[in-house]
Amino acid sequence: MISLLAALTFTVPLIGGLILFRLDERKADVIMLASFISAMITQFGVAVLYLLGHEELIHITYLKSAQFGEVYGLIIDPMSVLIGTVVAVAGFIFMFYGVEYMSERNVGHPGGKGRGLFYAWMTLFEGATLGFIYSSTFLGLLIFFELMGLACWGVVSYYNTKEARRAGFKAFIIPNVGAMIGFYTAIYIGLTQLHDLSLFSLSTVSPGVKPWLFLALLIAGYTKSAQFPTYSWIPDAMEAPTPASAFLHGAAMVEMGVYLVARVIQFIGPLPVWVFYFMAIMVSLTLLIPILNYPVQKDAKRLLAYSTVAEAGIMFSGLTYAVLGLTGKAPNFDIGLKAAMFQLTTHAFVKGLAFLTAGTFTYSLGTLDLRRISGLREILPVNGLAWTVALLGLAGLPPMGIAFSKAELITNLSLVKVSALAWLPIIMVLTDSAVFLWVGLKWITKNVFGEPNVEKASTHPIITASLVTLIVLTLVSAYLAYPLVEEITFYGVIP
């Protein structure tokens, strides 16, 4: 039963997405919402059955051959159940909001006809992401990885302007290059050496090949997650409609690069220490990019885009310390893996809140220019509260859930004594939070508490309900996620 529900979580939205290419307006609204609601309900079913069953890992093989081993299958474990639930819940909220955002009442981007195409790409995006989360083989991961990239191209280029077409091409091609390097290498090794495409075969890769295979898959993760030096596609992807921006930043695409590397770390087993040093340097360089860019951003969505680069970097910081444990140089290394998934979970809701609030600036005020937004406390009080909670949350302040996931990373790594370089990612994480807090307070003072520069602005109950729901989830996500986070563990050989 649980395997059927897991399969339905992604097959239903994939089918719904294909149907939506032929629909528009109200019919498209109905089919899109039905697809997202179905994915969410079936995902809740998976979570309930998994928690009631008290099983550590469920592995279902659907396609296997003597020559290729496992070709396609599913993994149902604490990580896939947790992240699948995050994607299903966040995806529904973003697209429930999207029904109104894509309407003709949007001041900045009046919609109406043609939104069926956007819904189609977004529903495929949801299905591909959930399929990726549950896949147990590199062939399955590659197929859904590429389908995510195709859907990302569709939503980023949706408005069909010159800038949107260029941004969509970048959002497709850069992660695709990473996929070619990472997945094709893994599949080649699986076919020629292991005769198995399963993640479970990673631990049997020869010691001389293993670090290079990991590096190739790390590149695939870095390109998907907009890490240095391949981060430039993510600020440009702000050309997408805001519900898409929220999804690809908060619950898909960027997070799936992190998820991929976390999955590999779970199974691959011992690695040489130079892999840790490489990751520590790369994540530190990544965090330097947003630190330098925060102060000069005037566009709300671009500010949040650089925040996404940083937050994904923070997730990779956790994975960097997990790799340190795989080198045998540090105790309690599972904390890094847990902290990364904890950060992914809490970040999804606060980043979604931030983007949907920025979308209300377009919807109600017709601008994303933060210099032109003032007095939200009086003209749009719920939006002003949401913007305050989002910016303070992204800076890592309690009681927002993301504060606890960052604390999990920082406070549980005090036993790291390898070298001074081992502390560099933590220093960069703290610096990023401090700089974002400074910039965030500046914009909160202006946008929320400044003198109103318009007499009134209107919103819609759908938008208000979406923001309020995300505010609540931003506050409670850490408490809801922590029990499953604590169950996340390694399946490969532990040094």
Side-chain angles (χ1 to χ4, degrees), residues 339-420:
M341 294 300 99
F342 199 12
Q343 175 75 6
L344 193 159
T345 301
T346 58
H347 172 257
F349 299 111
V350 70
K351 183 53 64 68
L353 175 64
F355 268 109
L356 296 198
T357 307
T360 67
F361 300 158
T362 301
Y363 176 91
S364 299
L365 304 173
T367 183
L368 286 168
D369 189 339
L370 292 169
R371 296 167 297 183
R372 297 174 55 193
I373 300 167
S374 185
L376 293 175
R377 180 183 59 174
E378 296 184 26
I379 60 174
L380 293 168
V382 173
N383 305 49
L385 174 62
W387 190 235
T388 302
V389 170
L391 294 186
L392 295 181
L394 289 171
L397 294 188
M400 277 64 83
I402 198 169
F404 300 100
S405 57
K406 289 186 178 182
E408 173 97 352
L409 173 66
I410 294 169
T411 59
N412 287 284
L413 294 170
S414 58
L415 297 178
V416 176
K417 298 179 181 178
V418 179
S419 69

Side-chain angles (χ1 to χ4, degrees), residues 130-434:
L130 289 166
F132 184 84
I133 288 168
Y134 282 110
S135 292
S136 65
T137 69
F138 285 107
L139 182 60
L141 288 167
L142 173 63
I143 290 170
F144 288 116
F145 189 99
E146 296 287 37
L147 187 54
M148 274 192 284
L150 181 63
C152 185
W153 165 80
V155 297
V156 171
S157 59
Y158 171 74
Y159 286 127
N160 202 31
T161 63
K162 180 180 179 181
E163 292 78 12
R165 291 193 297 270
R166 178 179 178 274
F169 179 76
K170 284 183 69 175
F172 176 76
I173 204 66
I174 292 176
N176 189 61
V177 170
M180 292 173 63
I181 294 171
F183 286 109
Y184 291 3
T185 300
I187 290 173
Y188 173 78
I189 292 172
L191 292 177
T192 60
Q193 295 186 21
L194 308 177
H195 305 291
D196 192 352
L197 297 176
S198 171
L199 286 165
F200 291 87
S201 68
L202 276 174
S203 61
T204 64
V205 177
S206 63
V209 173
K210 187 178 289 185
W212 302 107
L213 172 60
F214 179 78
L215 188 63
L217 290 165
L218 187 64
I219 291 171
Y222 280 167
T223 56
K224 199 74 161 178
S225 296
Q227 299 294 280
F228 178 86
T230 61
Y231 64 90
S232 67
W233 69 267
I234 199 70
D236 291 349
M238 295 304 91
E239 296 293 328
T242 294
S245 299
F247 191 63
L248 71 91
H249 284 257
M253 199 68 177
V254 173
E255 278 72 13
M256 290 306 102
V258 177
Y259 185 86
L260 166 65
V261 177
R263 270 294 190 220
V264 173
I265 289 172
Q266 277 189 304
F267 288 93
I268 200 164
L271 290 168
V273 72
W274 68 260
V275 176
F276 161 74
Y277 288 120
F278 173 80
M279 291 183 70
I281 292 170
M282 292 300 290
V283 76
S284 299
L285 289 172
T286 294
L287 287 167
L288 182 62
I289 301 301
I291 288 170
L292 295 176
N293 276 279
Y294 291 148
V296 298
Q297 297 306 310
K298 305 297 187 297
D299 181 284
K301 286 177 67 174
R302 289 186 71 87
L303 173 66
L304 298 177
Y306 281 106
S307 169
T308 297
V309 174
E311 296 298 333
I314 293 169
M315 298 173 209
F316 272 111
S317 295
L319 298 183
T320 300
Y321 291 110
V323 166
L324 179 61
L326 292 180
T327 69
K329 299 291 185 180
N332 296 340
F333 57 91
D334 60 335
I335 294 296
L337 182 64
K338 293 176 181 178
M341 294 300 99
F342 199 12
Q343 175 75 6
L344 193 159
T345 301
T346 58
H347 172 257
F349 299 111
V350 70
K351 183 53 64 68
L353 175 64
F355 268 109
L356 296 198
T357 307
T360 67
F361 300 158
T362 301
Y363 176 91
S364 299
L365 304 173
T367 183
L368 286 168
D369 189 339
L370 292 169
R371 296 167 297 183
R372 297 174 55 193
I373 300 167
S374 185
L376 293 175
R377 180 183 59 174
E378 296 184 26
I379 60 174
L380 293 168
V382 173
N383 305 49
L385 174 62
W387 190 235
T388 302
V389 170
L391 294 186
L392 295 181
L394 289 171
L397 294 188
M400 277 64 83
I402 198 169
F404 300 100
S405 57
K406 289 186 178 182
E408 173 97 352
L409 173 66
I410 294 169
T411 59
N412 287 284
L413 294 170
S414 58
L415 297 178
V416 176
K417 298 179 181 178
V418 179
S419 69
L421 182 61
W423 287 102
L424 183 58
I426 294 297
I427 294 170
M428 295 302 290
V429 168
L430 293 173
T431 303
D432 172 80
S433 294

Side-chain angles (χ1 to χ4, degrees), residues 389 392-393 396-404 471-479:
V389 170
L392 295 181
L397 294 188
M400 277 64 83
I402 198 169
F404 300 100
I471 289 172
V472 173
L473 287 171
T474 294
L475 293 171
V476 305
S477 57
Y479 305 100

